[in-house]
Amino acid sequence: MSTATNVDATAVNTIDWLSASDTTIVVPVYQRQYRWDIGGCEQLLGDIRAVAGTEDGQTHFIGSILSTASTSAADDAHLVLIDGQQRVTTLMLLIAALHHTLRDDDPTLAAELEAVLVRHDEPGRTKLRPHRAWADVFESVVLDRRSPADADRASRFDDNYAFFRSQIRPDEAAGIWRGLRKLEHVSITLGGQANAQQIFESLNSTGEPLRDHELIHNYVLMGLSHTEQSEIENEFWLPIEANTGEQIGAFWRDYLVMLTGREVLVEGERGVYDAFRHEFPRLDLDTLRGRAREWRELAEIYRLLLDPTSATDAGVARHFGAINTLGRGMYPIAMRLYRDHLHGELAASDLFVALTHVESLLLRRTVVGLPIDRLVARFCRAADEGMDALVHAIARITPSDERTRVGLRYGELPHAGFVLARLAGVDAAADVDLDHVLPVAPSDDWTGDGTRRWADFSDDEQNAHRALAATLGNLTLLEPDAFERVFDASFPEKRAAYAASGLESTRRVADAETWSTAQIAARTEELTARFMDTWRRPAVVGIDDDNLTPILDAKKRRGWPRGWQREFDYVEYRGEHWDVRDVRYLFNRVFARLWADSRQSVVDYSARRGGPVYRAMAWNGQWDQLGEGQYLYMGWDSKYMLSAVQGVLEEAGWASEVFVKYSYIGDAMR
């Protein structure tokens, strides 16, 4: 058997590998900049804490680290890091934070940590050397050499180090070090003849990455015996797959929104899997069985949402069919309501009333041109407080009758076939076609009265007619054979077909002797009254016509995206109007206000989360003093700041009273 001569791969203990006296590493110039955000740091620290509490033989694998021997004296290191920069750099920042936390209290452990961080032959130099643009910044953080002039410096090194410092308590330092000592990786070292770029691409670009639901599947089964895995797989997972099919990924997302009352981000991250792990950091076998029964039951409900015709209850089929048409984003609340009904916690009448309110919300907002995404999480939160709270939450953002009438009078009717079928009292799946009484593109010979041709209309008259062609009053339903005969015909010919229709609402169109803007407007008024009666707005006060977003549904960004300084138009804080345009100012203002109005909430939140308020400015960076001996650290990234705002407002019990109004820049930001 031949052996590889240019690639050496060995499983090693990560800390031993870093601590070796001859380990010095340089990051080449072509590598991307350090990009890990606080979310990644939080996950890493959570993994280390988890493995720290396991039996001695258990370890945590962090992947592979690819390097090659240095061939240039200019590198000033014996290894050139090709893949693994983000993980190694973050580990170094964590170890530096651990070192600075206990160096005065535990010199022995501090010496072990220092061996990981600094060169054996040059204690004033770090073992890891990022590429030259950031090397001095990194060393100033790791060696704690930041000067007061660096307080306003913005870098991921500073941010992530500050996060680790905020999270590590002196009494848990030994436990974190125990977890770090259990990290392992595969060290891949390339020989002089190896093609480093080709190997890097092979490690990072080939193969299909695991999808969220596949990661969840692996996560729940990992660590079980073969017999236990087979039990969970056969009794629970396979039925979940059978019920959700290709939509299994969407099922897990919708389930987590229903469970947490928070939107689950999926763009650019393993958002669904990460949210799942956050909710279920530990799943022993008994807990897993209980949860899996719940998941299986919800997957059965999800099958009804995906295919409403399979529901045995006609009312359920009708409402689930409507949600499929109007907005599948409401699956989480529909799933929650139907589950409560199955458990005897919600009467059928209340279920149908709630689902009708959801339909009204979706349809009315679409009519007036308001977005219908990112709404459902707030309804799931409200449902936890009871039906009255849910109805109030829906009503608050359901457009008024007046605004909806304007949208119906002048706008294109959305979901026209569905709306007209419901108003006509026929099934939405009935074999009928949608007909424009006045065609969208009339021929020159088209006439509405049998006398005056379309070509004889003035430009203004034609424009006035065209503007109403897709509105409610100019639309009707017609049987397919009749539709084929008259779909672009003049009104006198259509009138005869309408009169012979089996649909009463269509026969009423034939009562008009002519068809013009006046008849369209009159029919719009008639059908609008029926629309309002069918899709009513719940009778509660307080309409949000400015499309405000609850603070708990605000969008978390990675880093500081372009335009972040003008993300908001304003913020509504418990009835007050705040001229706040960005999350950084919002973070500062909310914590300052709560320090005055609900100080214990800030203290409790910071104690549980390890920040962002501290008794001393324990490291260099951006700080704001809240009170005597109490300091708010301001050096976080935007994602952490928004999460902290949401968390502390929940701690105070006021999150439901705070809203943001996104600017057009904020709406366009990614």
Side-chain angles (χ1 to χ4, degrees):
M1 179 184 295
S2 61
T3 59
T5 58
N6 281 310
V7 179
D8 177 55
T10 308
V12 299
N13 179 281
T14 302
I15 296 300
D16 289 346
W17 182 75
L18 290 171
S19 300
S21 59
D22 62 344
T23 299
T24 53
I25 308 167
V26 66
V27 178
V29 174
Y30 61 77
Q31 284 273 19
R32 65 179 180 174
Q33 293 183 2
Y34 178 60
R35 293 176 56 185
W36 263 35
D37 59 17
I38 287 170
C41 295
E42 193 169 25
Q43 183 66 60
L44 174 65
L45 185 56
D47 290 340
I48 290 170
R49 282 174 169 149
V51 76
T54 61
E55 298 176 0
D56 289 342
Q58 290 189 290
T59 60
H60 182 76
F61 182 64
I62 64 170
S64 59
I65 294 175
L66 177 64
S67 61
T68 185
S70 172
T71 58
S72 170
D75 289 336
D76 195 23
H78 94 278
L79 291 177
V80 177
L81 194 59
I82 297 173
D83 186 36
Q85 175 211 172
Q86 307 292 321
R87 283 163 289 157
V88 172
T89 304
T90 306
L91 281 172
M92 288 295 198
L93 293 172
L94 170 56
I95 293 166
L98 189 61
H99 177 253
H100 299 160
T101 298
L102 52 75
R103 58 187 164 188
D104 296 330
D105 299 326
D106 191 341
T108 302
L109 180 52
E112 292 185 59
L113 295 167
E114 192 170 282
V116 181
L117 296 171
V118 302
R119 297 187 177 210
H120 180 72
D121 56 343
E122 281 187 84
R125 301 279 306 282
T126 55
K127 284 195 166 188
L128 175 67
R129 184 77 173 170
H131 57 66
R132 292 179 179 84
W134 291 98
D136 291 341
V137 175
F138 176 77
E139 285 202 338
S140 73
V141 172
V142 171
L143 301 177
D144 201 16
R145 292 176 178 170
R146 288 178 296 177
S147 68
D150 295 329
D152 295 328
R153 182 177 68 194
S155 79
R156 287 288 173 87
F157 302 121
D158 291 285
D159 291 349
N160 293 347
Y161 168 83
F163 171 76
F164 288 133
R165 278 299 300 269
S166 74
Q167 297 298 298
I168 299 172
R169 302 186 308 273
D171 61 354
E172 70 162 346
I176 292 176
W177 179 236
R178 184 167 57 252
L180 283 164
R181 294 284 307 167
K182 292 187 173 189
L183 299 184
E184 292 183 346
H185 71 274
V186 172
S187 175
I188 303 176
T189 307
L190 306 184
Q193 302 302 312
N195 185 328
Q197 179 62 25
Q198 184 271 325
I199 294 172
F200 174 76
E201 291 175 357
S202 297
L203 287 171
N204 288 278
S205 300
T206 62
E208 182 70 21
L210 290 176
R211 292 170 291 180
D212 281 304
H213 69 273
E214 293 168 329
L215 290 167
I216 291 171
H217 179 239
N218 292 354
Y219 179 70
V220 300
L221 296 182
M222 197 73 69
L224 300 180
S225 68
H226 178 73
T227 300
E228 292 165 344
Q229 288 181 352
S230 298
E231 173 197 341
I232 300 300
E233 180 80 4
N234 295 327
E235 292 189 26
F236 303 109
W237 192 269
L238 291 179
I240 291 171
E241 286 186 334
N243 281 312
T244 59
E246 292 297 318
Q247 298 303 313
I248 187 171
F251 163 73
W252 287 112
R253 181 191 65 233
D254 290 338
Y255 162 69
L256 288 164
V257 172
M258 183 202 81
L259 179 70
T260 66
R262 297 292 186 91
E263 299 291 345
V264 176
L265 301 179
V266 296
E267 298 86 356
E269 302 181 38
R270 301 177 309 183
V272 176
Y273 172 62
D274 290 342
F276 184 91
R277 285 191 62 184
H278 183 269
E279 284 303 308
F280 304 109
R282 294 286 184 276
L283 280 171
D284 59 71
L285 184 58
D286 289 338
T287 302
L288 176 57
R289 286 181 176 130
R291 287 294 185 177
R293 290 188 190 94
E294 175 190 351
W295 301 334
R296 184 177 60 192
E297 178 189 38
L298 290 169
E300 291 168 357
I301 297 173
Y302 209 78
R303 175 177 57 83
L304 301 182
L305 283 164
L306 293 171
D307 180 17
T309 61
S310 64
T312 56
D313 186 301
V316 170
R318 184 166 177 260
H319 285 291
F320 282 7
I323 287 175
N324 271 320
T325 298
L326 301 176
R328 293 190 173 197
M330 290 295 149
Y331 275 12
I333 190 61
M335 192 160 51
R336 161 67 185 270
L337 292 170
Y338 191 60
R339 183 202 63 184
D340 290 350
H341 168 63
L342 292 179
H343 290 185
E345 300 168 10
L346 188 66
S349 58
D350 291 333
L351 169 67
F352 295 152
V353 166
L355 292 175
T356 299
H357 289 329
V358 171
E359 291 176 32
S360 298
L361 166 90
L362 293 170
L363 192 50
R364 286 182 177 230
R365 287 181 70 90
T366 307
V367 164
V368 304
L370 290 175
I372 60 172
D373 59 329
R374 299 183 64 84
L375 303 178
V376 71
R378 70 189 75 178
F379 300 152
C380 294
R381 294 195 300 270
D384 289 337
E385 302 175 23
M387 185 55 62
D388 289 344
L390 173 60
V391 172
H392 188 276
I394 293 172
R396 191 180 190 279
I397 57 173
T398 301
S400 65
D401 289 356
E402 293 77 11
R403 191 172 181 186
T404 306
R405 283 193 182 95
V406 172
L408 291 171
R409 185 177 297 133
Y410 300 112
E412 179 177 349
L413 179 65
H415 310 296
F418 169 84
V419 171
L420 290 171
R422 182 68 67 86
L423 295 180
V426 300
D427 190 278
D431 188 18
V432 289
D433 289 313
L434 178 69
D435 188 47
H436 293 71
V437 183
L438 165 71
V440 175
S443 67
D444 287 347
D445 291 329
W446 183 89
T447 176
D449 59 7
T451 303
R452 193 170 180 223
R453 300 167 60 246
W454 179 256
D456 298 329
F457 285 30
S458 68
D459 288 345
D460 287 343
E461 287 176 314
Q462 288 189 1
N463 289 335
H465 280 74
R466 286 195 187 99
L468 299 179
T471 60
L472 175 59
N474 189 56
L475 303 174
T476 192
L477 300 176
L478 194 58
E479 291 82 356
D481 55 344
F483 174 78
E484 290 293 331
R485 292 197 311 271
V486 302
F487 77 96
D488 62 349
S490 294
F491 181 68
E493 185 179 349
K494 284 193 171 190
R495 187 182 179 196
Y498 295 157
S501 173
L503 302 173
E504 189 272 338
S505 60
T506 302
R507 292 196 299 272
R508 288 178 63 87
V509 179
D511 293 342
E513 296 182 356
T514 63
W515 199 254
S516 67
T517 54
Q519 282 73 36
I520 296 173
R523 187 163 183 269
T524 294
E525 291 302 312
E526 174 195 343
L527 294 181
T528 294
R530 293 166 63 185
F531 182 102
M532 296 298 177
D533 188 58
T534 302
W535 292 287
R536 298 181 180 182
R537 178 181 175 273
V540 296
V541 297
I543 300 175
D544 169 21
D545 270 342
D546 205 15
N547 199 26
L548 297 174
T549 299
I551 189 63
L552 294 182
D553 296 324
K555 304 170 187 174
K556 295 178 184 177
R557 320 286 189 185
R558 302 191 71 176
W560 296 100
R562 182 177 298 177
W564 70 267
Q565 301 95 330
R566 292 178 291 168
E567 185 174 5
F568 310 132
D569 279 340
Y570 61 87
V571 171
E572 267 196 16
Y573 179 89
R574 308 192 72 207
E576 300 177 13
H577 184 94
W578 286 3
D579 187 20
V580 169
R581 304 302 176 93
D582 63 78
V583 71
R584 193 173 189 275
Y585 183 25
L586 176 63
F587 172 80
N588 182 276
R589 188 158 179 181
V590 164
F591 272 90
R593 180 61 174 270
L594 288 177
W595 189 254
D597 295 347
S598 183
R599 185 169 303 182
Q600 194 59 43
S601 300
V602 177
V603 172
D604 292 345
Y605 176 80
S606 287
R608 190 173 63 257
R609 296 288 299 177
V613 178
Y614 308 93
R615 294 184 178 276
M617 293 184 286
W619 60 88
N620 292 330
Q622 305 167 52
W623 296 86
D624 188 44
Q625 186 169 0
L626 295 179
E628 184 67 30
Q630 297 290 339
Y631 303 91
L632 176 68
Y633 183 65
M634 294 293 298
W636 311 110
D637 66 4
S638 63
K639 186 175 181 180
Y640 179 95
M641 286 186 167
L642 180 56
S643 296
V645 167
Q646 293 170 334
V648 76
L649 286 170
E650 281 195 299
E651 188 79 37
W654 295 342
S656 63
E657 301 175 62
V658 181
F659 303 85
V660 298
K661 169 62 177 174
Y662 282 102
S663 67
Y664 72 94
I665 294 175
D667 280 334
M669 285 169 62
R670 291 291 184 266

